Amino acid sequence: MKNQKIFILSGLIPALLLVLAFTYYPFLRGIIMAFQDYKLFDLRHVRFVGFDNFKAAFHDPKFLVALKNSGYWVFFSLIFQFVLGLSLALLLKKPFRGRGIFQGFAFYSWALSGFLIGMIWKWMFNSQIGVINDLLLRVGIIHERIGFLSNPKWAMTSVIIANVWYGIAFFAIMLLAALQSVPSELYEAADMDGATGIRKLWNVTLPYILPTIIATTLLRAIWIFNDPTIIYGLTNGGPAGSTHILSSLMLDKIIYAGDYGAASAIGVIMIVLLLLYTIFFLTVTKAEKVGDF
Amino acid sequence: MTGLQKTLKVVFLGLYLLVMVFPLYWIVITSLKPQKDIFSFPLRYWPQKFTMDNYVNIFKISKFHIYIGNSLIVAIIAALIVLVISVLSAYVLARFKFRGHSQIMLAFFLTQMLPGFIALAPLYLMMSKMDLLNTRFSLVLMYTVGLIPFSTIMLRGFFQRIPSSLEEAAMIDGCSRWSALLRVIIPVMLPGIASTFIFAFVQNWNELFLAVMFIDNDALKTLPVAMNSFILKFDVDWGAMSAGAVLSIIPTIVIFAFAQRFIVEGLTQGAEKG
């Protein structure tokens, strides 16, 4: 028994210590910074300022735009990633010749960095020599070039398109695995009842994979909300702050402005929103076991 | 399936494939075009002339080979350390029940949901205080820490699929738990371990923001940091930038091509079981 205790401790301590010291400690310190005037270029005047950073944020038009954008960003990225990912998973469920190779080409975006994907799409969206403008002109859908990233009317849509492209594979991979775990007896029973394809999908497949759908969507929404890399690579929030989401604005304030207090305040607001979202989501879906993994 | 359905399926899959592959195709083609063709109209979808100029150029105007080396060193070392630490914690969390078990799982799980960049500024200050700015060690340390929770959750899923009777048998035969783990369990786990390693490597290879914060010594930059300063410096040189992007992408694509099945299995199993 004593041996076992030693084994448990020695197995856990390295992981726990590192995570506590270099994830949770700086994280908590970041939360404290949200209540401080903390600027990298003025470290001698660090002091507590109560809720000033939060007040400043809500008076900052850039923040309000980023708040609204975060909503669009998560909602539309998620909907399109999910619908396309699910369709793809359903079509890939039955084996066909070349499926393995197809999956290789269909899922590789997973292995790329959001930053590089942002860069590649920035090149394709270029308003002068971008290939997307060229293609749309050739086909005749548009008659003059569109400033996909330079026109604030288009910029957010363009950024979301790139993000959808990036994330379909994630949903497809997760949902495909779930689909393949549906026991075939369920389909046999449905066949005996004379169910058609769509009915089987609606009555057998979807209910069976619902827990995976719920868990995947919940997690994915949070990751999309938190991840600024694609936006950083594509527009870095521009033009004029019109494509910042909360996380990219926070990053901007850390890397470029060195205003740690303001950045942390945005971070704390993000945590509050995430909490509200998670509670809302779990209540609506009544999924008690989702958080289990 | 009716003929119409089949056609629709082929059309959808074909379109999807086209949309997925085209950006990669385009960046590769751009990197192989002569400078003047990149900016000339009409755009050419298949270059008249292929050239390696952009690749030669990028090694000339920057220390690209050094960045590649730095990225490899940091990504591989951190992925190996993550593996050792996480195999242990995952095994303990899979096989034993003890006080604090679910709190630890929750603590690991939460790190995946919180907006981690809140910690970025404090981490910068910590690294500065420990005199670790502009060292590869700072990146190895932070990449290791960053991946411990996810790797632990993922590996735990793999351990749970292996019946514990396996190591119990070995222990009855006189193995200690350590050697049972090392000699009996880990060999069975190799696919899971491989996919965790690959996942960790790819994450490290791609990581940008910690590296941007910690490193500004040119000789220590990793590829993403180099690409980042590259964009700031040569914003319009898309030939060289696409060559750099292709070089950054190649290792992950190659790994992905070889290990796709492992990774997909690993990610989904780890997530489903947990």
Side-chain angles (χ1 to χ4, degrees):
Chain A
M1 245 12 221
K2 196 171 155 248
N3 266 338
Q4 193 173 334
K5 221 172 202 168
I6 292 172
F7 185 85
I8 291 176
L9 281 177
S10 48
L12 278 178
I13 280 176
L16 268 185
L17 274 187
L18 284 171
V19 169
L20 286 178
F22 293 99
T23 302
Y24 277 100
Y25 170 69
F27 190 80
L28 291 178
R29 218 174 136 189
I31 291 178
I32 293 171
M33 272 182 187
F35 301 92
Q36 289 178 316
D37 180 2
Y38 208 125
K39 296 194 179 68
L40 182 61
F41 308 109
D42 192 11
L43 284 176
R44 271 177 307 169
H45 293 105
V46 172
R47 63 200 168 90
F48 277 93
V49 290
F51 285 89
D52 281 6
N53 288 324
F54 295 90
K55 278 182 219 148
F58 280 103
H59 283 107
D60 176 7
K62 255 193 175 178
F63 170 83
L64 297 173
V65 170
L67 185 64
K68 194 181 69 181
N69 281 347
S70 274
Y72 284 138
W73 167 255
V74 173
F75 183 77
F76 288 108
S77 301
L78 197 64
I79 292 264
F80 285 108
Q81 286 180 4
F82 173 72
V83 170
L84 292 170
L86 180 63
S87 325
L88 189 62
L90 286 169
L91 292 179
L92 290 176
K93 199 181 80 173
K94 288 208 190 95
F96 55 84
R97 213 149 31 104
R99 188 177 69 166
I101 296 174
F102 181 91
Q103 285 186 4
F105 284 110
F107 293 162
Y108 79 94
S109 67
W110 173 88
L112 306 188
S113 75
F115 169 58
L116 281 178
I117 286 171
M119 226 190 82
I120 294 173
W121 281 85
K122 186 178 173 180
W123 173 227
M124 296 202 304
F125 274 134
N126 189 297
S127 57
Q128 296 307 314
I129 38 169
V131 66
I132 295 178
N133 265 316
D134 189 72
L135 282 172
L136 292 177
L137 280 171
R138 277 181 203 237
V139 179
I141 294 177
I142 57 171
H143 298 290
E144 52 192 284
R145 286 168 217 292
I146 295 176
F148 285 107
L149 300 175
S150 51
N151 181 344
K153 247 179 30 196
W154 278 98
M156 203 58 213
T157 310
S158 310
V159 176
I160 289 174
I161 289 174
N163 196 34
V164 169
W165 181 88
Y166 189 24
I168 298 172
F170 173 85
F171 269 111
I173 291 171
M174 292 311 226
L175 295 176
L176 184 58
L179 286 176
Q180 282 165 342
S181 71
V182 181
S184 54
E185 299 91 67
L186 289 182
Y187 291 116
E188 283 154 24
D191 281 335
M192 294 227 281
D193 294 343
T196 58
I198 302 230
R199 282 207 77 90
K200 272 194 275 186
L201 174 67
W202 197 251
N203 292 334
V204 180
T205 314
L206 288 181
Y208 191 85
I209 64 169
L210 192 63
T212 311
I213 291 181
I214 290 173
T216 315
T217 316
L218 172 69
L219 255 186
R220 190 67 196 165
I222 292 173
W223 287 347
I224 293 174
F225 179 76
N226 281 338
D227 187 4
T229 20
I230 286 207
I231 288 185
Y232 180 85
L234 253 174
T235 60
N236 197 16
S242 62
T243 56
H244 264 310
I245 57 170
L246 290 176
S247 60
S248 67
L249 186 63
M250 167 165 74
L251 198 71
D252 192 68
K253 292 208 183 288
I254 296 173
I255 294 186
Y256 294 106
D259 191 343
Y260 294 171
S264 297
I266 297 175
V268 170
I269 294 169
M270 286 174 68
I271 298 177
V272 174
L273 290 173
L274 282 176
L275 267 176
L276 292 176
Y277 165 78
T278 310
I279 294 169
F280 173 78
F281 190 95
L282 292 181
T283 320
V284 169
T285 56
K286 295 188 187 64
E288 288 128 29
K289 288 289 280 175
V290 178
D292 195 37
F293 76 95
Chain B
M1 209 184 268
T2 65
L4 180 67
Q5 277 175 325
K6 211 165 211 165
T7 318
L8 280 176
K9 176 174 172 173
V10 171
V11 169
F12 180 89
L13 290 179
L15 268 179
Y16 179 77
L17 195 64
L18 193 67
V19 171
M20 285 317 284
V21 174
F22 186 77
L24 189 64
Y25 169 79
W26 192 243
I27 202 80
V28 172
I29 285 293
T30 304
S31 74
L32 294 170
K33 281 181 182 175
Q35 194 65 243
K36 64 173 188 349
D37 285 9
I38 293 179
F39 297 99
S40 72
F41 275 108
L43 288 187
R44 289 194 172 279
Y45 289 77
W46 187 255
Q48 261 177 321
K49 206 181 116 213
F50 286 93
T51 168
M52 294 300 280
D53 282 359
N54 294 314
Y55 291 89
V56 176
N57 209 8
I58 197 170
F59 281 94
K60 237 190 275 168
I61 59 176
S62 73
K63 304 186 186 114
F64 222 70
H65 56 288
I66 291 184
Y67 310 142
I68 294 176
N70 287 336
S71 270
L72 278 176
I73 293 173
V74 170
I76 291 176
I77 295 181
L80 285 175
I81 302 177
V82 167
L83 213 53
V84 174
I85 295 177
S86 306
V87 160
L88 287 176
S89 55
Y91 179 75
V92 169
L93 287 166
R95 285 292 194 260
F96 300 103
K97 278 278 165 210
F98 47 88
R99 216 153 29 102
H101 183 282
S102 50
Q103 283 82 349
I104 293 175
M105 284 303 292
L106 183 68
F108 282 172
F109 192 66
L110 267 184
T111 60
Q112 306 300 301
M113 326 260 283
L114 295 167
F117 290 116
I118 292 186
L120 195 56
L123 278 172
Y124 173 80
L125 298 170
M126 283 167 77
M127 291 298 148
S128 153
K129 211 169 237 161
M130 294 191 293
D131 226 356
L132 288 177
L133 291 179
N134 279 315
T135 61
R136 292 193 198 91
F137 179 76
S138 66
L139 296 183
V140 171
L141 175 67
M142 286 319 300
Y143 293 173
T144 302
V145 173
L147 281 164
I148 286 175
F150 186 87
S151 312
T152 301
I153 294 170
M154 184 160 149
L155 285 167
R156 180 171 173 261
F158 282 104
F159 277 124
Q160 283 175 327
R161 284 197 295 168
I162 300 172
S164 55
S165 52
L166 207 62
E167 75 252 37
E168 275 154 19
M171 281 159 70
I172 289 169
D173 289 346
C175 275
S176 72
R177 197 170 266 284
W178 289 105
S179 63
L181 175 61
L182 212 62
R183 287 197 215 146
V184 182
I185 304 296
I186 288 185
V188 185
M189 282 265 296
L190 273 185
I193 289 181
S195 55
T196 310
F197 175 82
I198 288 163
F199 182 81
F201 173 84
V202 169
Q203 295 288 313
N204 298 342
W205 179 266
N206 288 338
E207 201 285 327
L208 170 67
F209 298 118
L210 287 165
V212 162
M213 288 292 277
F214 296 168
I215 308 286
D216 59 22
N217 177 348
D218 197 46
L220 296 173
K221 280 180 181 167
T222 56
L223 268 180
V225 185
M227 289 301 289
N228 187 51
S229 25
F230 214 61
I231 289 177
L232 300 175
K233 232 194 295 180
F234 311 99
D235 193 16
V236 286
D237 189 353
W238 278 102
M241 288 206 311
S242 50
V246 171
L247 289 175
S248 315
I249 288 171
I250 284 174
T252 53
I253 297 264
V254 170
I255 287 181
F256 186 76
F258 278 111
Q260 197 226 140
R261 240 186 23 169
F262 279 150
I263 301 169
V264 170
E265 208 175 285
L267 287 178
T268 47
Q269 292 296 349
E272 270 173 16
K273 270 272 188 164

